[in-house]
Amino acid sequence: MKEKILVKATDMFLNLGFKSVTMDDIANEMGISKKTIYAHYENKTHLVEESTSNLFLVISSGINDIIAVQKNPIEELYEIKKFVMLHLKDEKSSPQYQLQKYYPKIYDDLREKEYDLMFDSVVENIKRGLELGIYRSNIDVDFVSRIYYSGAFAIKDHKIFPSSKFKAADLEDYFLEYHLRGIVTPKGRQILNGIINSNQE
């Protein structure tokens, strides 16, 4: 039951928002009593913490599986983007914004873990791209990795990119193309254009 509550709560948090969903909503949706939820999770903060922690483990494990296949680094970034978007439900409800505003401690802890995972994987991606000659040899790996990380979070800032003007999926596409066009060689550009064209078909 604990696992079922976690799965349902995570799904509702991502679709409706961490603040918007109440313990009553989860109980009603599952057809169980609120008391049953409290038997496994002492309060909503605990449930939010477990939910985000579990989601992070699922996503980080999936990213590691994608990286282990050792695809072309450009393809790899697109695979990771697709995988993350699938698990975050296209972030319809701005869950990151709600998490940051109403559960700042959980948000900060999660962001720290995300930084370690994302920064390391981006560094490895760039190094492999350099070895394959699809990323420019004169780029500063440390700088580009940090810029990529910063940008990935900036596009989720609704003050800069209001959801009334930008769809989350479009922003992810724009940002990834922007990042790659700045670092690819002519050889890499051919691969990138091929992926973009196939995605538009």
Side-chain angles (χ1 to χ4, degrees), residues 1-199:
M1 180 53 76
K2 185 176 184 181
E3 182 65 24
K4 285 181 180 175
I5 293 168
L6 190 64
V7 169
K8 176 53 73 177
T10 302
D11 186 62
M12 292 178 74
F13 288 147
L14 289 175
N15 281 305
L16 304 167
F18 288 100
K19 170 68 174 171
S20 311
V21 175
T22 65
M23 297 296 248
D24 281 315
D25 293 332
I26 299 165
N28 291 338
E29 187 72 21
M30 294 186 73
I32 59 175
S33 71
K34 205 159 60 165
K35 195 174 174 182
T36 304
I37 298 177
Y38 284 120
H40 298 285
Y41 300 97
E42 56 188 292
N43 51 43
K44 186 182 168 185
T45 300
H46 180 215
L47 182 53
V48 168
E49 191 171 13
E50 289 286 311
S51 172
T52 53
S53 182
N54 185 62
L55 186 61
F56 173 79
L57 286 175
V58 169
I59 290 175
S60 59
S61 174
I63 289 173
N64 288 333
D65 288 345
I66 292 168
I67 292 169
V69 177
Q70 293 278 293
K71 281 191 171 187
N72 169 295
I74 296 172
E75 285 180 60
E76 180 180 278
L77 287 179
Y78 274 94
E79 284 292 316
I80 289 172
K81 180 203 67 131
K82 194 160 66 175
F83 175 80
V84 172
M85 290 298 285
L86 181 71
H87 281 272
L88 292 182
K89 319 280 185 190
D90 289 346
E91 303 189 277
K92 299 183 188 83
S93 64
S94 318
Q96 181 174 287
Y97 170 76
Q98 289 199 10
L99 192 65
Q100 185 177 10
K101 185 171 182 183
Y102 300 104
Y103 300 94
K105 169 96 173 55
I106 296 172
Y107 173 83
D108 288 342
D109 290 346
L110 185 65
R111 180 134 189 208
E112 202 170 303
K113 287 194 285 188
E114 285 176 342
Y115 175 79
D116 291 337
L117 170 74
M118 194 171 170
F119 188 76
D120 290 345
S121 63
V122 172
V123 167
E124 285 308 308
N125 179 278
I126 294 172
K127 284 180 178 175
R128 282 203 304 117
L130 290 170
E131 286 167 13
L132 293 170
I134 59 175
Y135 294 160
R136 291 187 291 110
S137 60
N138 62 341
I139 61 174
D140 184 309
V141 176
D142 193 42
F143 172 78
V144 171
S145 302
R146 289 169 194 273
I147 282 291
Y148 182 80
Y149 173 81
S150 302
F153 278 92
I155 62 171
K156 292 180 173 71
D157 187 329
H158 286 252
K159 288 178 188 168
I160 305 172
F161 298 101
S163 53
S164 56
K165 283 190 177 183
F166 301 95
K167 286 183 187 170
D170 289 343
L171 282 173
E172 295 285 349
D173 282 335
Y174 299 155
F175 173 64
L176 189 49
E177 183 180 352
Y178 178 82
H179 163 71
L180 287 166
R181 289 211 182 276
I183 64 172
V184 291
T185 59
K187 181 181 171 185
R189 194 177 305 118
Q190 283 186 321
I191 297 167
L192 176 60
N193 288 339
I195 292 171
I196 290 169
N197 291 337
S198 70
N199 286 346

